[in-house]
Amino acid sequence: MFPCVLNGPVRCWMKLTTSIRAFTAVRPRLVLGIETSCDETGAAVLDDTGIILGESLHSQKQTHLDSGGIIPPVAQRLHRENICRVVQEALDRSGIEPNELTAVATTVKPGLSLSLGIGLDFSLKFVRLHEKPFIPIHHMEAHALTVRMLHPVDFPFLVLLVSGGHTLLALAKEIDEFLLLGQTLDVAAGDSLDKIARSLSLRNHPECSTLSGGQAIELLAKEGDRRAFHFKTPMGQIYDCNFSFAGLQNQVTMAIKKKEKEEGVETGQLLSCVKDIAAASQHTVASHIAKRTHRAILFCKSKGLLPQHNPTLVVSGGVASNEYIRQTLKIVTDATGLHLLCPPSKLCTDNGVMIAWNGIERLKQGKGIMSHTEEVKYEPKAPLGLDITSEVKDAAIKVPPLKLRINS
């Protein structure tokens, strides 16, 4: 009888133990992502399937629009004032308590020093308080990998990252392995469009007062004639994949000053041809990006760096939201047999979701995970991957002409 008395409880205990093990095995990994590299304070909680459980974002756009550009100490102050609230909102909306998190991922490079410092300082205090692993994130890596949260994109793939602070082409070989094919030699595409918008005084245009410079250019360009002004595409005789936008800015500035003189318009007033200049500027930026991307595709194909089946170009970053630039790149990918993928516009700009997803990717592979007791420093300047830009230049690939005809 003794064995029989124990048999029921033992069986129940064994079933309970098995259930606990099964629950533990399938329990999703949860990552809190924090982003403060520039002028957006973002936080999000994701599970390991890419489901966004909760997110929050505080944008500083209007403040910086009013001041005519990003002022780092102002950005720092706004991050400091909002980061606690933003993170708490993301956690509250997710229904996840800090002790339920698997890890915390935070942007630590590259970006504005004062902005990066706020996010890193908050995160280190958070992980030490709750004794959670910490995953330092490269901002551009996060942009590059966001699309994998939405689509089953296998490595390797070509990636174009184009924003207000960065413009680069790279081959993504793994989540932490990139080959840098080209990058801007001066200003980024987004910064160039913002400055052109400022020169055109688009803040004073009734339709553009709440838009960023790039958004204002895109809006007005839809009703403009790009052929009314001819701006030379940069670096036409340099056969690499680097970018340059400073020269284009100078061309546009000179054209604006000439027109202001002809029309007797003072600085701050709107030119009658403002939409045409916007259209011509946007087209030249798009054409420059398209040609460098075309060359990158041809280089990767010549070196066998892209898969034969379904090679992919991923485009991300704030400027990737520009529909005209997307359509221009679609012409290039159609001509070269690549599949073009862009995250939704809300995930192209800086946000906590992409940081959390990068953390999930690293967590799954056990890469770059640190103890909450380790020291971490931010890096304002940090290249993405192995630089092979000189190899690309040595290949001297000439790009065949493509007709970039875009319907407004």
Side-chain angles (χ1 to χ4, degrees), residues 197-218:
R198 209 170 299 147
S199 297
L200 286 169
S201 302
L202 296 190
R203 283 275 288 135
N204 298 328
H205 194 286
E207 297 178 58
C208 303
S209 59
T210 61
L211 301 179
S212 69
Q215 292 171 331
I217 291 284
E218 181 179 11

Side-chain angles (χ1 to χ4, degrees), residues 33-60:
I34 298 174
E35 157 64 23
T36 65
S37 66
C38 189
D39 60 343
E40 308 280 15
T41 311
V45 179
L46 267 64
D47 70 11
D48 52 14
T49 67
I51 293 176
I52 303 169
L53 302 177
E55 64 176 311
S56 181
L57 183 73
H58 177 266
S59 176
Q60 303 176 9

Side-chain angles (χ1 to χ4, degrees), residues 51-268:
I51 293 176
I52 303 169
L53 302 177
E55 64 176 311
S56 181
L57 183 73
H58 177 266
S59 176
Q60 303 176 9
K61 183 176 78 171
Q62 195 59 49
T63 299
H64 298 305
L65 278 174
D66 293 341
S67 62
I70 297 173
I71 301 171
V74 174
Q76 179 191 43
R77 174 177 58 80
L78 292 173
H79 281 307
R80 183 182 291 115
E81 290 174 356
N82 291 283
I83 190 167
C84 289
R85 175 185 59 80
V86 167
V87 171
Q88 192 59 54
E89 282 181 356
L91 288 168
D92 290 346
R93 291 167 183 172
S94 71
I96 300 298
E97 294 296 327
N99 65 344
E100 297 178 276
L101 294 169
T102 310
V104 175
T106 301
T107 306
V108 301
K109 59 184 177 182
L112 299 177
S113 299
L114 297 178
S115 294
L116 288 169
I118 297 297
L120 179 58
D121 183 61
F122 177 91
S123 299
L124 291 180
K125 289 176 180 176
F126 186 95
V127 297
R128 286 165 186 166
L129 176 64
H130 300 289
E131 298 185 346
K132 296 296 177 181
F134 182 63
I135 308 175
I137 299 296
H138 191 299
H139 184 76
M140 304 313 290
E141 180 184 298
H143 271 305
L145 299 179
T146 301
V147 73
R148 282 168 48 86
M149 186 180 83
L150 308 166
H151 303 281
V153 183
D154 292 328
F155 295 105
F157 58 87
L158 186 62
V159 58
L160 168 68
L161 303 179
V162 54
S163 66
H166 308 273
T167 305
L168 63 84
L169 281 157
L171 183 80
K173 299 182 73 176
E174 277 296 338
I175 65 166
D176 60 346
E177 187 180 354
F178 292 80
L179 297 178
L180 182 64
L181 306 173
Q183 61 189 326
T184 184
L185 301 177
D186 38 59
V187 297
D191 187 39
S192 177
L193 290 170
D194 286 345
K195 288 176 179 174
I196 289 170
R198 209 170 299 147
S199 297
L200 286 169
S201 302
L202 296 190
R203 283 275 288 135
N204 298 328
H205 194 286
E207 297 178 58
C208 303
S209 59
T210 61
L211 301 179
S212 69
Q215 292 171 331
I217 291 284
E218 181 179 11
L219 177 66
L220 297 185
K222 291 177 181 178
E223 298 180 5
D225 179 8
R226 67 174 178 82
R227 297 176 184 82
F229 290 86
H230 175 71
F231 300 127
K232 187 177 180 181
T233 303
M235 305 177 74
Q237 300 303 311
I238 301 175
Y239 304 126
D240 63 14
C241 293
N242 289 324
F243 302 87
S244 174
F245 298 96
L248 172 61
Q249 276 181 221
N250 291 335
Q251 290 183 69
V252 178
T253 299
M254 289 173 63
I256 291 171
K257 289 181 177 178
K258 182 181 177 183
K259 279 295 177 182
E260 285 176 342
K261 189 174 181 180
E262 288 177 5
E263 296 185 11
V265 170
E266 294 181 2
T267 302

Side-chain angles (χ1 to χ4, degrees), residues 270-405:
L270 295 170
L271 290 166
S272 62
C273 56
V274 65
K275 294 180 179 179
D276 296 339
I277 294 177
S281 301
Q282 176 178 256
H283 178 77
T284 309
V285 167
S287 177
H288 182 40
I289 291 171
K291 288 176 181 178
R292 309 322 265 189
T293 304
H294 193 174
R295 180 172 291 111
I297 293 170
L298 298 179
F299 173 82
C300 288
K301 284 191 168 187
S302 71
K303 300 294 183 180
L305 296 173
L306 287 172
Q308 294 290 321
H309 175 68
N310 200 30
T312 300
L313 169 66
V314 170
V315 184
S316 192
V319 180
S321 303
N322 183 298
E323 278 299 326
Y324 189 91
I325 291 175
R326 286 194 188 199
Q327 289 180 47
T328 305
L329 290 167
K330 185 68 167 60
I331 292 172
V332 174
T333 54
D334 285 349
T336 52
L338 264 72
H339 183 45
L340 177 65
L341 284 177
C342 306
S345 294
K346 68 169 289 188
L347 294 180
C348 282
T349 52
D350 296 348
N351 59 83
V353 172
M354 70 178 194
I355 305 305
W357 174 250
N358 198 170
I360 290 288
E361 292 256 50
R362 285 182 163 272
L363 197 61
K364 286 179 178 179
Q365 295 194 21
K367 293 182 175 180
I369 303 168
M370 304 179 70
S371 164
H372 66 273
T373 60
E374 293 182 68
E375 290 296 328
V376 184
K377 294 183 179 179
Y378 60 80
E379 301 174 47
K381 294 185 178 181
L384 179 68
L386 178 65
D387 189 337
I388 63 166
T389 55
S390 59
E391 187 179 339
V392 176
K393 187 173 184 178
D394 290 342
I397 296 173
K398 292 187 177 181
V399 175
L402 288 177
K403 291 183 179 179
L404 303 178
R405 292 179 178 174

